[in-house]
Coordinates of all heavy atoms in Angstrom, one line a residue:
M4 N 7.7 -2.6 0.6 CA 6.3 -2.3 0.5 C 6.0 -1.1 1.3 O 6.4 -0.9 2.4 CB 5.4 -3.5 1.0 CG 3.9 -3.2 1.0 SD 3.0 -4.7 1.3 CE 3.4 -5.1 3.0
I5 N 5.3 -0.1 0.6 CA 4.8 1.0 1.3 C 3.3 1.1 1.2 O 2.7 0.5 0.3 CB 5.4 2.3 0.8 CG1 4.9 2.7 -0.6 CG2 6.9 2.3 0.8 CD1 5.3 4.0 -1.1
A6 N 2.7 1.8 2.2 CA 1.2 1.8 2.3 C 0.8 3.2 2.9 O 1.6 3.9 3.3 CB 0.7 0.7 3.2
P7 N -0.5 3.5 2.8 CA -1.0 4.7 3.4 C -0.6 4.8 4.9 O -0.5 3.8 5.6 CB -2.5 4.6 3.3 CG -2.8 3.7 2.1 CD -1.6 2.7 2.1
G8 N -0.3 6.0 5.3 CA 0.3 6.2 6.6 C 1.8 5.8 6.4 O 2.3 5.8 5.4
F9 N 2.4 5.4 7.5 CA 3.8 4.8 7.4 C 3.9 3.5 8.2 O 4.9 2.9 8.1 CB 4.8 5.8 7.9 CG 5.2 6.9 6.9 CD1 4.3 8.0 6.7 CD2 6.3 6.8 6.0 CE1 4.6 9.0 5.8 CE2 6.6 7.8 5.1 CZ 5.7 8.9 5.0
D10 N 2.8 3.2 8.9 CA 2.9 2.0 9.7 C 3.0 0.7 9.0 O 3.5 -0.3 9.5 CB 1.7 2.0 10.6 CG 1.6 3.2 11.6 OD1 2.6 3.8 11.8 OD2 0.5 3.5 12.0
G11 N 2.5 0.7 7.7 CA 2.5 -0.6 7.0 C 3.8 -0.8 6.2 O 3.9 -1.9 5.5
D12 N 4.8 0.1 6.2 CA 6.0 -0.1 5.5 C 6.8 -1.3 6.0 O 7.0 -1.5 7.2 CB 6.8 1.2 5.5 CG 6.2 2.3 4.8 OD1 5.0 2.2 4.4 OD2 6.9 3.3 4.6
R13 N 7.4 -2.0 5.1 CA 8.2 -3.2 5.5 C 9.1 -3.6 4.3 O 8.7 -3.4 3.1 CB 7.4 -4.3 6.0 CG 6.3 -4.8 4.9 CD 5.4 -5.9 5.5 NE 6.2 -7.1 5.9 CZ 5.6 -8.3 6.1 NH1 4.3 -8.4 5.9 NH2 6.3 -9.3 6.4
F14 N 10.2 -4.3 4.6 CA 11.0 -4.9 3.6 C 10.6 -6.4 3.5 O 10.3 -7.1 4.5 CB 12.5 -4.8 3.9 CG 13.0 -3.4 3.8 CD1 13.0 -2.5 4.8 CD2 13.4 -3.0 2.5 CE1 13.5 -1.2 4.7 CE2 13.9 -1.7 2.3 CZ 13.9 -0.8 3.4
I15 N 10.7 -6.9 2.3 CA 10.3 -8.3 2.0 C 11.4 -9.0 1.2 O 11.8 -8.4 0.1 CB 9.0 -8.4 1.2 CG1 7.8 -7.8 2.0 CG2 8.6 -9.8 0.8 CD1 6.6 -7.5 1.2
D16 N 11.9 -10.1 1.6 CA 12.9 -10.9 0.9 C 12.1 -11.9 0.0 O 11.3 -12.7 0.5 CB 13.8 -11.7 1.8 CG 14.7 -10.8 2.6 OD1 15.3 -9.9 2.0 OD2 14.9 -11.1 3.8
V17 N 12.3 -11.7 -1.3 CA 11.5 -12.5 -2.3 C 12.3 -13.9 -2.4 O 13.2 -14.0 -3.2 CB 11.4 -11.8 -3.7 CG1 10.6 -12.7 -4.6 CG2 10.8 -10.5 -3.5
D18 N 11.9 -14.9 -1.6 CA 12.5 -16.2 -1.7 C 11.7 -17.1 -2.6 O 12.3 -18.2 -3.0 CB 12.8 -16.8 -0.3 CG 11.5 -16.8 0.5 OD1 10.4 -16.6 0.0 OD2 11.6 -17.1 1.7
R19 N 10.5 -16.8 -2.9 CA 9.7 -17.6 -3.8 C 8.7 -16.7 -4.5 O 8.3 -15.7 -4.1 CB 8.9 -18.7 -3.0 CG 9.7 -19.8 -2.4 CD 8.8 -20.8 -1.7 NE 8.1 -20.1 -0.5 CZ 7.0 -20.6 0.0 NH1 6.3 -21.6 -0.5 NH2 6.5 -19.9 1.1
M20 N 8.3 -17.2 -5.7 CA 7.4 -16.4 -6.6 C 6.6 -17.4 -7.5 O 7.2 -18.4 -7.8 CB 8.2 -15.5 -7.4 CG 7.4 -14.5 -8.3 SD 8.5 -13.5 -9.4 CE 9.7 -12.8 -8.3
F21 N 5.4 -17.1 -7.8 CA 4.5 -17.9 -8.5 C 3.8 -17.2 -9.6 O 3.4 -16.0 -9.4 CB 3.5 -18.7 -7.6 CG 4.2 -19.5 -6.5 CD1 4.4 -18.9 -5.3 CD2 4.5 -20.8 -6.7 CE1 5.0 -19.6 -4.3 CE2 5.1 -21.5 -5.7 CZ 5.4 -20.9 -4.5
E22 N 3.6 -17.8 -10.7 CA 2.7 -17.3 -11.8 C 1.2 -17.3 -11.2 O 1.0 -17.9 -10.2 CB 2.7 -18.1 -13.0 CG 4.1 -18.3 -13.6 CD 4.6 -17.1 -14.3 OE1 3.8 -16.1 -14.4 OE2 5.8 -17.1 -14.9
E23 N 0.3 -16.7 -11.9 CA -1.1 -16.6 -11.5 C -1.7 -18.0 -11.3 O -2.5 -18.2 -10.4 CB -1.9 -15.8 -12.4 CG -1.7 -14.3 -12.4 CD -2.7 -13.6 -13.2 OE1 -2.5 -13.4 -14.5 OE2 -3.8 -13.2 -12.7
D24 N -1.2 -19.0 -12.1 CA -1.8 -20.3 -12.0 C -1.1 -21.2 -11.0 O -1.4 -22.4 -10.8 CB -1.8 -21.0 -13.4 CG -0.3 -21.2 -13.9 OD1 0.6 -20.9 -13.2 OD2 -0.2 -21.7 -15.0
G25 N -0.1 -20.6 -10.2 CA 0.5 -21.4 -9.2 C 1.9 -22.0 -9.6 O 2.6 -22.6 -8.8
T26 N 2.2 -21.8 -10.9 CA 3.5 -22.3 -11.4 C 4.7 -21.5 -10.8 O 4.6 -20.3 -10.8 CB 3.6 -22.3 -12.9 OG1 2.5 -23.0 -13.4 CG2 4.9 -22.9 -13.4
P27 N 5.7 -22.2 -10.2 CA 6.9 -21.5 -9.7 C 7.5 -20.6 -10.8 O 7.6 -21.0 -11.9 CB 7.8 -22.6 -9.2 CG 6.9 -23.7 -8.9 CD 5.8 -23.6 -10.0
A28 N 8.0 -19.4 -10.4 CA 8.6 -18.5 -11.3 C 9.9 -18.0 -10.7 O 10.0 -17.9 -9.5 CB 7.7 -17.4 -11.7
E29 N 10.8 -17.5 -11.6 CA 12.1 -17.0 -11.1 C 12.1 -15.4 -11.2 O 12.9 -14.8 -10.6 CB 13.2 -17.5 -11.9 CG 13.5 -19.0 -11.7 CD 13.9 -19.2 -10.2 OE1 14.7 -18.5 -9.7 OE2 13.4 -20.2 -9.6
S30 N 11.2 -14.9 -12.0 CA 11.2 -13.4 -12.2 C 9.8 -12.9 -12.5 O 8.9 -13.7 -13.0 CB 12.1 -13.0 -13.3 OG 11.7 -13.5 -14.6
A31 N 9.6 -11.7 -12.2 CA 8.3 -11.0 -12.5 C 8.6 -10.0 -13.7 O 9.6 -9.3 -13.7 CB 7.8 -10.2 -11.3
R32 N 7.7 -10.0 -14.6 CA 7.9 -9.1 -15.8 C 6.8 -8.0 -15.8 O 5.7 -8.2 -15.3 CB 7.8 -9.9 -17.1 CG 8.9 -11.0 -17.1 CD 8.7 -11.9 -18.4 NE 7.3 -12.5 -18.5 CZ 6.9 -13.5 -17.8 NH1 7.7 -14.1 -16.9 NH2 5.7 -14.0 -17.9
P33 N 7.1 -6.9 -16.4 CA 6.1 -5.8 -16.5 C 4.8 -6.3 -17.2 O 4.9 -7.2 -18.1 CB 6.8 -4.7 -17.4 CG 8.3 -5.0 -17.2 CD 8.4 -6.5 -17.0
N34 N 3.7 -5.8 -16.8 CA 2.4 -6.1 -17.3 C 2.0 -7.6 -17.2 O 1.2 -8.1 -18.0 CB 2.3 -5.7 -18.8 CG 2.7 -4.3 -19.0 OD1 2.2 -3.4 -18.3 ND2 3.5 -4.0 -20.0
T35 N 2.5 -8.2 -16.1 CA 2.0 -9.5 -15.7 C 1.6 -9.5 -14.2 O 1.9 -8.5 -13.6 CB 3.1 -10.6 -15.9 OG1 4.2 -10.3 -15.0 CG2 3.6 -10.6 -17.4
K36 N 1.1 -10.6 -13.7 CA 0.8 -10.7 -12.3 C 1.5 -11.9 -11.7 O 1.6 -12.9 -12.4 CB -0.7 -10.8 -12.1 CG -1.5 -9.5 -12.4 CD -3.0 -9.7 -12.1 CE -3.7 -8.4 -12.5 NZ -5.2 -8.5 -12.2
V37 N 2.0 -11.7 -10.5 CA 2.7 -12.8 -9.8 C 2.2 -12.9 -8.4 O 1.6 -11.9 -7.9 CB 4.2 -12.7 -9.8 CG1 4.8 -12.7 -11.2 CG2 4.7 -11.4 -9.1
L38 N 2.4 -14.0 -7.7 CA 2.1 -14.2 -6.4 C 3.3 -14.4 -5.5 O 4.2 -15.1 -5.9 CB 1.2 -15.5 -6.2 CG -0.1 -15.5 -7.0 CD1 -0.7 -16.9 -7.0 CD2 -1.1 -14.5 -6.5
I39 N 3.4 -13.7 -4.4 CA 4.5 -13.8 -3.5 C 4.0 -14.1 -2.1 O 3.1 -13.4 -1.6 CB 5.3 -12.4 -3.5 CG1 5.9 -12.1 -4.8 CG2 6.4 -12.5 -2.4 CD1 6.6 -10.8 -4.9
P40 N 4.6 -15.2 -1.5 CA 4.2 -15.5 -0.1 C 4.4 -14.3 0.9 O 5.4 -13.6 0.7 CB 5.1 -16.7 0.3 CG 5.4 -17.3 -1.0 CD 5.5 -16.1 -2.0
C41 N 3.5 -14.1 1.8 CA 3.6 -13.0 2.7 C 3.0 -13.5 4.1 O 2.0 -14.1 4.1 CB 2.9 -11.8 2.2 SG 3.2 -10.3 3.1
D42 N 3.6 -13.1 5.2 CA 3.1 -13.6 6.5 C 1.9 -12.9 7.0 O 1.2 -13.4 8.0 CB 4.2 -13.5 7.5 CG 4.8 -12.1 7.7 OD1 4.2 -11.2 7.1 OD2 5.8 -11.9 8.4
K43 N 1.5 -11.8 6.4 CA 0.2 -11.1 6.8 C -0.3 -10.3 5.6 O 0.4 -9.9 4.7 CB 0.4 -10.2 8.0 CG 1.3 -9.1 7.8 CD 1.4 -8.2 9.1 CE 2.3 -7.0 9.0 NZ 2.3 -6.2 10.2
K44 N -1.6 -10.1 5.6 CA -2.3 -9.5 4.5 C -1.8 -8.0 4.4 O -1.8 -7.3 5.4 CB -3.8 -9.5 4.7 CG -4.6 -9.0 3.5 CD -6.1 -9.1 3.7 CE -6.9 -8.6 2.5 NZ -8.4 -8.8 2.8
P45 N -1.4 -7.6 3.2 CA -1.0 -6.2 3.0 C -2.1 -5.2 3.2 O -3.3 -5.5 3.0 CB -0.4 -6.1 1.6 CG -0.2 -7.6 1.2 CD -1.3 -8.3 2.0
P46 N -1.8 -3.9 3.6 CA -2.8 -2.9 3.7 C -3.4 -2.6 2.4 O -2.7 -2.8 1.3 CB -2.0 -1.7 4.3 CG -0.8 -2.3 4.9 CD -0.4 -3.5 4.0
Q47 N -4.6 -2.0 2.4 CA -5.2 -1.6 1.1 C -4.3 -0.5 0.4 O -3.9 0.4 1.1 CB -6.6 -1.0 1.4 CG -7.4 -0.6 0.1 CD -8.7 0.0 0.4 OE1 -9.0 0.4 1.6 NE2 -9.6 0.0 -0.6
G48 N -4.2 -0.7 -0.9 CA -3.4 0.3 -1.7 C -1.9 0.1 -1.6 O -1.2 1.0 -2.1
A49 N -1.4 -1.0 -1.0 CA 0.0 -1.1 -0.8 C 0.7 -1.2 -2.2 O 0.2 -1.8 -3.2 CB 0.3 -2.4 0.0

């Protein structure tokens, strides 16, 4: 993940993923939306 400035950059291990409705998913596809657990809120524009 990269963000404005360089302070918000970080690596994320994708160990879980969910569809928009909360259903577990194994992959993300172009032109869809997925949810990924994260320990803190990402910076704006990440």
Side-chain angles (χ1 to χ4, degrees):
M4 178 169 65
I5 69 170
F9 281 81
D10 297 337
D12 290 13
R13 57 184 298 197
F14 288 94
I15 299 169
D16 291 318
V17 182
D18 53 10
R19 289 180 296 157
M20 186 186 305
F21 303 90
E22 305 283 359
E23 285 188 275
D24 62 4
T26 304
E29 290 299 316
S30 66
R32 301 175 305 281
N34 303 315
T35 64
K36 291 183 178 179
V37 298
L38 301 170
I39 297 176
C41 191
D42 57 7
K43 63 179 180 180
K44 186 177 181 179
Q47 183 182 17

